[in-house]
């Protein structure tokens, strides 16, 4: 685990909080906050899988899972008290039995099933029951009881985080931060205590002006996780910036609408998954997703789209043809970038990105 | 509509069977017995001819199904009983994908959709199916267009992404039965979730079929499905005899009816015939291979496009696949179906399918199969286009060796796409594996 994450965990431990490591993507963070449990997300880590257990998952499985498995088995998360597996994909589901049942993780395991498919009564009932089930598991882990007022505070805190993250993402052209700076800030939310993350977000929000301050080629990105982060540095140096984000790790976790007002924090929490943008890991309808992506693209005034997908990621890969078709139809230049979870962008990918930015820039100049 | 229905019924009940009978007679007159040549194998199964006829008739009727009866495209783990009771003609793209693979059509079909942006790393069945839809090419002539798409995530979540793509293409409703993965015991709310979706399925399917479910027909379908699973189980269990009266590779082919025709009288009649033939071979000491020396378990899907070569290679060395987790899956879950409680038992049965269960269950099952079938070795097909079946196999292989004394081999391939097959590498690994038993 990187040093800064370790430092944050140590600090949270001093404050008497338990730490749970969470695999991607969607889970009710509010419950953990309300139970005073610190969550640290595990999206890899990037680079080749390391340690003696690196070969326990075949190389044709996505690197997020292979790397996470090797990292855990090598003791990378030994400071944590438990592990959370959301019901994201077949590979994470497989790891959710491999690591605890066959070695690699010997501490408690939490599992969260989010319903697949569109909004329907059965899905809503499942979310409510899963929240209750996860609450009970957290009570067992912490020895504390979930209090309604603490949950209400946590729901309000995360709603504010979502609001500010949403504002930073949607008004980013008016933000006096580069993409690498913005994304490093947003991704600190993967391991900071939520109040600390909100403080940093609020500080950044003060830099939002009324007028656009970004120059260059505005692009939209869709994909899973912005790794390697050097992709953002390269885009910046090539004269482009991200005007819209549909990364599962970033933009897709910001609700499209505020939850309905109500007194019951659990009901508000149960409503939240249905307010999220369409995401293939939740099995959202394809057409609804394509409409959402086109709308996001147009609102942001983007001039091209980068489809950035990890190799072997089935939920993302199955949607790629539809994205390409939709954006070709509206005349939007698009670049499909498939990669492993490298530490740095490969030379070939860098060249393709630079060429893509050049092409889009040339197209804008001639139109 | 009425004319189409008449044509469908005529093909299903009269013309199709007549064509099959004529073909049988032609082959009989020409002296062709079909089946594989003797070589290292025992005499071919007589039932194989009936299997071909049954499946040919199913696909032949399918050509005339759309516009005549409601048509559903269905995943192999889908609770199909509700559809049968409403008169649906069901199409199983996975079964069709296996046929495409055997005929070595997958590279061509996959190429067609890779041009649309689909990755070669996706499930081979999905690529075969989407490619077949895109090109109209199929070894069975033509698949009927669906009125309804039915997908159940108890075998994998890939089917959801795949069927979303189909829904987008055909513009027909997609019914999803989302099934939580089973770690240990199933919590009550997961049962409730699946049950609730089964009720939704029944309502949507009835609306599209334009009629209500007849309770009596449903109960009879459930009874037939349970009995079919039991009969299939009886066929598999004949493999416990020494020598086994057939090979696991035979069983992969004879699996088709319990997947594609589960819940029908034709399916059960077929398995009665097969069971009787296998039992007769057991009584007479006739083996699936000529000289059975070592008995093996197979894990994961078959390598469809290379079955003949693999089976010949192993049989030539006296190795016989006598059991498989894949073929066993359709015997295991069916026992949970209860005609007295069709809805509740369907939720239980379809939650507990093999691929939807944790690794300790899989390991326990593999050990049990090895013990019951006298298998001293195992081949675990590390299937690059089936992630859920393959994750954990490295550990399963080690544990089978360490804890159960079963020598095992991890053989990397693909269930559908020959482009992922390395002949020299596979042969070298198989040679080394078989030498361990000398």
């Amino acid at each position: 685990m990187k040093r800064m994450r370790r430092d944050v965990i140590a600090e949270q431990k001093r404050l008497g909080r338990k730490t749970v490591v969470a695999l991607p993507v969607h889970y009710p963070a509010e419950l953990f906050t309300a139970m005073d449990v610190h969550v640290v997300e595990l999206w890899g880590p990037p680079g080749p899988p390391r340690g003696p257990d690196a070969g326990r998952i075949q190389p044709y499985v996505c690197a997020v899972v292979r790397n996470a498995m090797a990292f855990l088995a090598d003791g990378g998360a030994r400071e944590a008290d438990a592990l959370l597996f959301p019901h994201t994909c077949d590979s994470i589901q497989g790891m959710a039995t491999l690591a605890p049942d066959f070695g690699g993780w010997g501490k408690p395991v939490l599992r969260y099933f989010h319903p697949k498919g569109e909004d329907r009564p059965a899905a809503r009932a499942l979310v409510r029951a899963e929240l209750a089930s996860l609450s009970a598991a957290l009570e067992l882990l912490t020895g504390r009881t979930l209090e309604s007022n603490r949950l209400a505070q946590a729901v309000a805190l995360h709603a504010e985080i979502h609001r500010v993250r949403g504002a930073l993402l949607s008004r980013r052209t008016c933000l006096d931060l580069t993409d690498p700076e913005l994304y490093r800030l947003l991704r600190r939310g993967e391991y900071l205590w939520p109040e600390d993350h909100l403080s940093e977000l609020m500080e950044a929000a003060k830099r939002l002006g009324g007028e656009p301050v970004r120059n260059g080629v505005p692009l939209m990105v869709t994909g899973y996780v912005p790794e390697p982060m050097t992709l953002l540095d390269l885009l910046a140096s090539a004269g482009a910036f991200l005007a819209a984000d549909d990364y599962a790790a970033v933009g897709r976790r910001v609700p499209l609408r505020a939850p309905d007002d109500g007194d019951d924090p659990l009901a508000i929490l149960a409503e939240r998954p249905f307010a999220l943008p369409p995401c293939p890991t939740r099995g959202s309808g394809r057409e609804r997703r394509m409409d959402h992506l086109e709308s996001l693209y147009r609102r942001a005034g983007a001039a091209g789209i980068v489809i950035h997908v990890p190799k072997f990621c089935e939920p993302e890969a199955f949607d790629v043809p539809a994205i390409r078709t939709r954006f070709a139809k509206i005349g939007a230049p698009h670049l499909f970038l498939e990669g492993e979870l490298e530490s740095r962008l490969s030379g070939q990918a860098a060249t393709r990105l630079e060429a893509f930015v050049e092409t889009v820039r040339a197209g804008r100049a001639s139109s | 509509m009425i004319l189409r229905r008449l044509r469908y019924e005529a093909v299903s009940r009269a013309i199709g069977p007549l064509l099959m009978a004529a073909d049988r007679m032609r082959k009989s007159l020409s002296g062709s017995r079909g089946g594989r040549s003797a070589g290292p194998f025992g005499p071919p199964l007589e039932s194989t001819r009936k299997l071909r006829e049954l499946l040919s008739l199913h696909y032949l009727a399918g050509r005339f199904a759309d516009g005549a009866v409601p048509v559903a495209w269905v995943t192999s783990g889908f609770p199909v009983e509700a559809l049968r009771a409403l008169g649906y003609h069901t199409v199983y793209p996975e079964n069709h994908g296996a046929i495409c693979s055997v005929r070595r059509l997958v590279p061509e079909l996959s190429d067609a959709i890779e041009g649309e942006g689909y990755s070669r790393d996706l499930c081979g069945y999905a690529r075969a199916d989407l490619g077949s839809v895109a090109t109209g090419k199929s070894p069975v002539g033509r698949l009927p267009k669906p009125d309804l798409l039915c997908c159940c995530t108890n075998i994998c979540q890939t089917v959801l992404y795949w069927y979303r793509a189909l829904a987008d293409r055909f513009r027909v409703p997609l019914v999803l039965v989302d099934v939580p993965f089973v770690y240990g015991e199933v919590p009550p709310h997961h049962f409730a979730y699946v049950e609730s979706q089964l009720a939704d399925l029944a309502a949507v399917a009835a609306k599209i079929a334009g009629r209500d479910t007849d309770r009596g027909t449903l109960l009879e379908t459930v009874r037939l499905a349970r009995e079919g699973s039991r009969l299939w189980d009886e066929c598999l269990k004949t493999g416990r005899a020494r020598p086994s009266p057939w090979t696991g590779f035979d069983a992969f082919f004879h699996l088709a009816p319990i997947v594609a025709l589960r819940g029908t009288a034709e399916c059960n009649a077929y398995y009665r015939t097969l069971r009787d033939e296998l039992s007769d071979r057991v009584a007479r000491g006739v083996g699936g291979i000529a000289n059975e020396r070592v008995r093996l378990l197979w894990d994961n899907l078959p390598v469809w496009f290379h079955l003949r070569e693999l089976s010949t290679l192993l049989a030539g060395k006296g190795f016989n696949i006598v059991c498989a987790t894949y073929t066993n899956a359709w015997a295991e879950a069916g026992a949970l179906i209860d005609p007295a409680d069709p809805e509740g038992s369907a939720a239980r049965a379809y939650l507990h399918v093999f691929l939807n269960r944790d690794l300790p269950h899989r390991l326990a099952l593999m050990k049990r199969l090895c013990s019951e079938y006298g298998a001293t070795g195992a081949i675990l097909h590390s299937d690059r286009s089936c992630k859920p079946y393959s994750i954990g196999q490295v550990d399963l292989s080690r544990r089978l060796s360490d804890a159960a004394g079963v020598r095992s081999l991890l053989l990397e391939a693909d269930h559908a796409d020959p482009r992922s097959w390395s002949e020299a590498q596979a042969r070298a690994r198989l040679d080394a594996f078989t030498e361990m038993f000398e």
Side-chain angles (χ1 to χ4, degrees):
Chain A
M1 198 166 288
K2 285 181 181 170
R3 174 55 46 195
M4 54 191 175
R5 295 189 182 216
R6 282 221 168 93
D7 291 345
V8 173
I9 292 172
E11 185 193 332
Q12 295 300 316
K13 292 268 183 206
R14 278 196 293 278
L15 293 169
R17 291 182 174 127
K18 299 268 188 194
T19 299
V20 166
V21 168
L23 273 289
V25 177
H26 302 289
Y27 61 91
E30 293 86 341
L31 271 188
F32 293 81
T33 308
M35 297 292 285
D36 228 13
V37 174
H38 173 222
V39 178
V40 178
E41 296 177 5
L42 181 58
W43 293 79
R50 288 177 287 267
D53 291 79
R56 283 176 62 194
I57 298 183
Q58 293 93 327
Y60 51 78
V61 175
C62 91
V64 173
V65 170
R66 272 190 292 127
N67 288 17
M69 181 68 211
F71 177 76
L72 292 173
D74 207 30
R78 64 173 65 89
E79 298 93 338
D81 299 288
L83 201 57
L84 169 71
F85 290 100
H87 183 41
T88 303
C89 62
D90 287 322
S91 301
I92 288 179
Q93 195 167 265
M95 188 187 165
T97 165
L98 182 62
D101 294 330
F102 281 3
W105 185 256
K107 298 177 188 176
V109 161
L110 310 169
R111 297 179 180 108
Y112 180 70
F113 288 96
H114 50 71
K116 305 280 179 179
E118 294 299 311
D119 189 357
R120 49 194 175 145
R124 285 180 173 254
L126 179 77
V127 171
R128 285 191 291 275
E130 280 292 299
L131 289 173
S133 175
L134 187 56
S135 303
L138 285 172
E139 288 184 343
L140 205 62
L141 180 74
T142 59
R144 303 170 61 149
T145 307
L146 176 64
E147 295 166 12
S148 186
N149 64 325
R150 292 289 304 270
L151 181 59
Q153 287 167 9
V155 168
L157 171 63
H158 282 271
E160 186 60 6
I161 289 172
H162 290 315
R163 188 189 67 75
V164 183
R165 285 174 73 101
L168 291 173
L169 283 168
S170 63
R171 295 183 55 213
R172 57 204 292 168
T173 52
C174 305
L175 182 66
D176 183 21
L177 283 178
T178 64
D179 278 338
E181 289 168 336
L182 173 63
Y183 275 82
R184 284 183 177 98
L185 166 72
L186 293 173
R187 295 201 67 194
R188 281 168 62 78
E190 293 170 10
Y191 60 91
L192 287 183
W193 180 252
E195 282 164 337
D196 299 337
H197 181 47
L198 180 61
S199 297
E200 291 189 353
L201 292 173
M202 297 292 277
E203 201 56 40
K206 289 178 186 165
R207 299 171 73 164
L208 275 170
E211 296 297 320
V213 291
R214 296 286 193 97
N215 292 312
V217 179
L219 299 176
M220 174 167 148
V221 68
T222 181
Y224 195 67
V225 59
E227 294 284 2
M229 292 284 276
T230 52
L231 177 141
L232 302 164
D233 298 308
L234 185 127
L235 280 175
S237 65
F241 68 94
L242 294 182
D245 178 291
D246 181 58
Y247 272 126
V250 187
R252 264 184 246 160
R253 301 167 87 187
V254 178
L256 293 172
R257 58 178 191 273
D260 294 337
D261 288 332
D263 294 332
D264 180 3
L266 212 51
I268 295 172
L269 197 51
E271 170 71 21
R272 215 201 58 197
F274 304 100
L276 289 173
C279 179
T281 69
R282 293 186 294 107
S284 313
R286 251 191 173 192
E287 190 163 330
R288 191 166 75 84
R289 178 160 191 238
M290 295 313 126
D291 289 346
H292 167 76
L293 290 180
E294 184 181 335
S295 161
L296 188 63
Y297 182 86
R298 290 190 188 281
R299 275 203 316 273
I305 178 171
V306 178
I307 307 163
H308 180 208
V309 174
K311 195 162 173 59
F312 306 118
C313 176
E314 288 209 333
E316 297 288 337
F318 263 99
D319 271 6
V320 168
I323 297 172
R324 293 169 81 155
T325 303
R326 173 62 74 96
F327 282 87
K329 206 177 202 175
I330 64 171
H334 51 274
L335 172 72
F336 174 58
L337 200 64
E338 186 183 58
E340 295 276 358
L341 212 60
E342 298 99 341
S343 304
R344 303 191 61 79
L345 203 62
S346 71
Q348 188 190 32
T351 306
R352 291 183 66 216
L353 263 175
E354 284 167 348
F356 179 65
V357 174
E358 277 304 310
T359 308
V360 176
R361 182 185 288 117
R364 276 161 60 88
S366 64
S367 64
Chain B
M1 171 78 179
I2 295 169
L3 278 177
R4 284 172 185 260
R5 179 63 187 262
L6 285 172
R7 191 174 58 173
Y8 173 75
E9 296 295 342
V11 169
S12 306
R13 295 171 197 275
I15 300 170
L18 273 174
L19 286 172
M20 301 301 149
D23 188 53
R24 205 179 311 144
M25 193 177 293
R26 185 181 59 77
K27 282 180 178 158
S28 169
L29 289 172
S30 68
S32 164
R33 293 190 63 197
R36 70 187 159 217
S37 56
F41 299 103
L45 287 162
E46 292 292 329
S47 302
T48 304
R49 180 179 47 76
K50 286 200 169 65
L51 173 72
R52 288 202 186 109
E53 288 181 9
L54 184 67
L55 293 178
S56 299
L57 188 58
H58 172 64
Y59 281 109
L60 180 66
R63 293 190 203 184
F64 302 95
D66 40 358
V69 289
V71 174
W73 284 24
V74 182
T75 58
S76 60
F78 194 85
V80 73
E81 293 80 7
L83 301 173
R84 294 245 185 277
L86 286 162
Y88 275 83
H89 180 94
T90 53
V91 171
Y92 284 78
E94 292 153 73
N95 183 259
H96 179 247
I99 297 172
C100 292
S101 178
V102 170
R103 303 285 179 87
R104 304 240 172 176
L105 248 183
V106 173
E108 183 185 345
L109 299 178
S110 189
D111 273 347
I113 58 149
E114 282 166 31
E116 291 182 17
Y118 285 96
S119 165
R120 192 185 280 198
D121 298 321
L122 300 175
C123 165
Y125 282 161
R127 283 182 284 127
D129 182 47
L130 293 168
S132 176
V133 170
T135 60
K137 288 185 180 170
S138 163
V140 300
R142 171 184 173 273
L143 295 179
K145 286 197 176 68
D147 300 300
L148 182 63
L149 295 162
C150 298
C151 112
C152 183
T153 56
N154 58 356
I155 50 167
C156 60
Q157 293 175 46
T158 300
V159 292
L160 171 57
Y161 319 132
W162 166 8
Y163 275 58
R164 283 166 75 235
L166 288 176
D168 202 29
R169 199 175 282 261
F170 285 116
R171 304 273 166 192
V172 297
L174 166 61
V175 173
L176 165 67
V177 178
D178 179 31
V179 179
F181 194 79
V182 177
Y183 305 94
E185 296 297 314
V186 179
H189 70 275
H190 287 179
F191 270 121
Y193 179 48
V194 177
E195 259 194 301
S196 171
Q197 293 175 87
L198 294 183
D200 293 345
L201 155 71
V204 173
K207 189 175 173 191
I208 287 171
R211 65 193 240 200
D212 291 332
T213 302
D214 177 79
R215 189 75 183 164
T217 312
L218 175 66
L219 295 180
E220 175 60 6
T221 306
V222 170
R223 189 191 66 74
L224 286 169
R226 182 187 165 89
E227 191 191 2
S229 291
R230 185 180 58 76
L231 289 163
W232 173 239
D233 191 36
E234 286 178 16
C235 294
L236 292 178
K237 281 178 177 160
T238 62
R240 293 178 181 178
R242 286 175 188 269
S244 168
W246 60 344
T247 76
F249 297 109
D250 294 323
F252 288 141
F253 284 113
H254 291 270
L255 174 72
I258 196 63
V259 177
L261 296 165
R262 189 169 65 252
T264 65
E266 294 82 359
C267 168
N268 295 4
Y270 173 71
Y271 283 127
R272 275 188 212 98
T273 305
L274 176 65
R275 178 201 56 192
D276 292 346
E277 184 183 4
L278 291 169
S279 301
D280 178 60
R281 284 166 71 115
V282 169
R284 291 188 292 116
V286 176
I289 68 171
N291 175 29
E292 183 182 288
R293 290 193 306 119
V294 180
R295 297 159 66 86
L296 302 175
L297 166 116
W298 180 278
D299 182 53
N300 212 323
L301 282 82
V303 185
W304 287 115
F305 56 87
H306 207 68
L307 272 188
R308 182 184 293 272
E309 293 85 347
L310 264 178
S311 59
T312 305
L313 181 103
L314 286 171
K317 293 169 181 277
F319 284 69
N320 195 11
I321 304 283
V322 292
C323 54
T325 54
Y326 185 61
T327 47
N328 184 69
W330 277 268
E332 188 184 45
L336 296 170
I337 299 173
D338 180 3
D341 176 21
E343 291 84 4
S345 70
R348 190 169 301 109
Y350 287 97
L351 256 160
H352 282 100
V353 305
F354 175 70
L355 268 182
N356 201 50
R357 303 189 70 176
D358 58 23
L359 287 171
H361 174 83
R362 282 177 60 182
L363 180 62
L365 178 86
M366 289 164 88
K367 283 184 188 171
R368 181 168 65 79
L369 288 176
C370 285
S371 164
E372 290 175 353
Y373 285 78
T376 55
I379 296 177
L380 290 84
H381 168 203
S382 173
D383 185 348
R384 56 178 289 124
S385 76
C386 185
K387 275 77 173 173
Y389 219 141
S390 302
I391 289 177
Q393 280 184 319
V394 176
D395 283 59
L396 285 169
S397 172
R398 280 187 202 149
R399 280 162 194 261
L400 270 179
S401 299
D402 297 347
V406 175
R407 295 165 188 161
S408 62
L409 169 73
L410 212 60
L411 184 70
E412 183 159 335
D414 188 289
H415 62 265
D417 194 340
R419 291 174 299 184
S420 301
W421 175 255
S422 167
E423 176 70 31
Q425 193 182 52
R427 185 172 279 271
R429 286 181 63 75
L430 281 165
D431 282 344
F433 176 63
T434 52
E435 280 167 19
M436 286 165 60
F437 293 83
E438 298 305 332

